[in-house]
Amino acid sequence: MNEKIILKAEDLDGYLTNDDMAELKQLDEMFTETMRYFNPVDEAKIIDSFDKMGHEMHAICKKHPNIKVYSFETEQQAQAEASRVIAKLRSEKTGHQEFIYYSQRAYEMLFRMAYINQTTDKRGHIVVKTPVNFPVQNYAVHKIPDIDHKIHNTVMCVMLRGALLPSMIISKEIEEYSSDSYLTPFALFKISRNDTKNENNMEYILDLEKSFFNLEQLDGKDLIFADPMNATGGSLVTVVKYLQSHGVKPKSIAFFNTISTLKGAIRVSRALPNLTCYTLWMDPVMNEKAYIMPGLGDAGDRLNGCDTKEQPRNIIQLLADYGHNISSLYRSQMFEIEKTVLG
């Protein structure tokens, strides 16, 4: 395969209604007003403005049942936890290793929101052998939710490169919660934005030559995409529309984001009716370069470190650069990805 698939921004805007556009315009105006208080900083007015935008986004999301925002869906205590995690991820003071730590926490929280229901899930048991062996070998019993029926049909779809570690985290959660340590297959897609473009004429480029996936393995499956940022929604729509054009009919699609814009969440939910968008935090707008505001910077660089233009790393080099701690924690996932790439 040596072709590249391109999706343009105007194709995405076709999924937005006039009401959507009016609501997005209102949020854009609210954020523009908020930025007046950034320099000099007026904390009281910033807090009040973000509170108003939060209420507005919450009201809009209630109209879209396929958009699940952790900070809107959970109880107050859990919302506070999400707020703290996002605050650490946003901060320019948060270094590389700490950014990985809080990303892991974010995706564990999202996994629980999507798959764990304390009210309806049946109970299973695990019997654990402990290191205590005097006076006899000790064991412990723990109750866990039985969610095998929710996760045994899943495939992790990775939109490189910032999505690599989040996808491994979700796959690890599935492995740990399944009764038989189910290991998700992986499909790897080399998808990027054309950063010479602006938000209104953005292009999304799917490089098939550098992608690794099996169409038959994806048909009829519950596809999971985990990307730290959902700005425009274009990368996801590009990949899924390509798969659909080649006969792949996903049973369902789950899209996990640390932060999503309202516009990106609405776009993907309208473009892909069998999709549910799970996001830890909703941000109101993008700038003209299609970067989320207030955002958290380039999540891919903060997770993986920066590539040089002369020598961008491939998937195997990225895995190697994660180091011993990540390699040990996600050993099964790394072996499965290496098998996908190397055959």
Side-chain angles (χ1 to χ4, degrees):
M1 293 186 292
N2 56 9
E3 59 179 315
K4 294 183 178 180
I5 308 298
I6 298 177
L7 179 76
K8 297 182 181 294
E10 53 264 33
D11 300 325
L12 286 175
D13 280 339
Y15 296 111
L16 300 175
T17 67
N18 290 335
D19 287 344
D20 294 335
M21 297 300 286
E23 290 170 338
L24 292 167
K25 183 174 184 294
Q26 180 182 359
L27 274 173
D28 191 77
E29 292 170 351
M30 293 174 73
F31 192 78
T32 299
E33 176 70 16
T34 303
M35 286 192 292
R36 292 175 52 195
Y37 310 126
F38 289 174
N39 188 17
V41 173
D42 187 330
E43 288 194 1
K45 290 185 177 179
I46 290 173
I47 290 169
D48 182 63
S49 294
F50 271 96
D51 190 51
K52 290 177 180 177
M53 285 188 290
H55 286 299
E56 184 66 24
M57 287 188 287
H58 193 179
I60 293 170
C61 286
K62 285 182 178 179
K63 304 175 186 178
H64 301 273
N66 287 355
I67 299 176
K68 307 292 186 184
V69 183
Y70 191 94
S71 52
F72 297 160
E73 298 277 336
T74 54
E75 69 279 2
Q76 191 170 1
Q77 184 178 359
Q79 292 169 14
E81 181 187 7
S83 187
R84 185 59 181 161
V85 168
I86 291 294
K88 294 296 290 186
L89 288 169
R90 287 196 200 278
S91 175
E92 63 182 2
K93 297 179 181 179
T94 301
H96 172 61
Q97 291 298 329
E98 198 175 13
F99 194 88
I100 290 177
Y101 167 75
Y102 282 105
S103 293
Q104 289 172 319
R105 283 185 59 182
Y107 276 94
E108 289 165 3
M109 293 161 67
L110 284 169
F111 179 86
R112 292 196 300 269
M113 179 175 72
Y115 292 107
I116 309 300
N117 188 315
Q118 300 290 353
T119 303
T120 60
D121 288 338
K122 295 180 180 179
R123 294 297 176 190
H125 296 85
I126 53 174
V127 179
V128 181
K129 183 179 179 180
T130 82
V132 178
N133 55 20
F134 182 84
V136 295
Q137 176 62 57
N138 273 232
Y139 293 84
V141 177
H142 294 274
K143 294 180 180 179
I144 60 169
D146 180 1
I147 60 170
D148 284 353
H149 62 289
K150 300 180 186 179
I151 57 179
H152 271 185
N153 193 50
T154 55
V155 176
M156 290 305 308
C157 298
V158 187
M159 298 187 294
L160 300 176
R161 58 193 261 287
L164 178 58
L165 185 54
S167 300
M168 291 165 63
I169 295 168
I170 292 289
S171 176
K172 179 72 171 181
E173 290 296 290
I174 289 173
E175 181 184 13
E176 292 300 311
Y177 271 94
S178 66
S179 63
D180 57 355
S181 299
Y182 173 69
L183 182 60
T184 61
F186 281 81
L188 309 174
F189 301 94
K190 176 63 173 172
I191 181 81
S192 60
R193 300 190 325 188
N194 183 346
D195 285 334
T196 66
K197 303 289 185 177
N198 291 325
E199 199 274 331
N200 62 353
N201 66 350
M202 184 61 67
E203 293 179 346
Y204 310 87
I205 305 161
L206 173 59
D207 188 341
L208 296 177
E209 189 173 28
K210 297 179 180 179
S211 299
F212 305 89
F213 57 90
N214 182 335
L215 291 172
E216 293 182 359
Q217 190 181 49
L218 299 172
D219 190 34
K221 299 296 184 179
D222 296 307
L223 306 185
I224 300 176
F225 293 81
D227 200 332
M229 313 290 282
N230 173 24
T232 64
S235 296
L236 176 74
V237 174
T238 301
V239 169
V240 175
K241 291 296 184 183
Y242 170 80
L243 295 176
Q244 291 175 334
S245 72
H246 283 73
V248 174
K249 297 179 179 179
K251 182 180 178 182
S252 70
I253 303 168
F255 191 27
F256 291 90
N257 318 118
T258 305
I259 292 179
S260 177
T261 63
L262 180 62
K263 188 175 188 178
I266 293 175
R267 274 173 164 171
V268 297
S269 66
R270 290 203 188 282
L272 306 168
N274 63 338
L275 170 140
T276 303
C277 181
Y278 300 97
T279 187
L280 198 64
W281 204 264
M282 184 74 74
D283 270 3
V285 297
M286 291 175 278
N287 61 23
E288 66 178 18
K289 299 299 290 183
Y291 294 134
I292 299 174
M293 296 197 297
L296 51 74
D298 190 317
D301 285 348
R302 297 186 74 181
L303 279 170
N304 302 320
C306 299
D307 280 349
T308 63
K309 291 184 178 180
E310 295 77 19
Q311 293 180 315
R313 291 167 292 175
N314 61 32
I315 183 70
I316 301 300
Q317 290 168 321
L318 274 177
L319 292 174
D321 283 354
Y322 281 147
H324 175 73
N325 289 340
I326 295 296
S327 300
S328 299
L329 185 58
Y330 300 106
R331 181 178 299 275
S332 299
Q333 284 69 35
M334 294 185 74
F335 285 165
E336 186 68 19
I337 291 169
E338 288 176 353
K339 185 174 66 176
T340 301
V341 174
L342 301 176

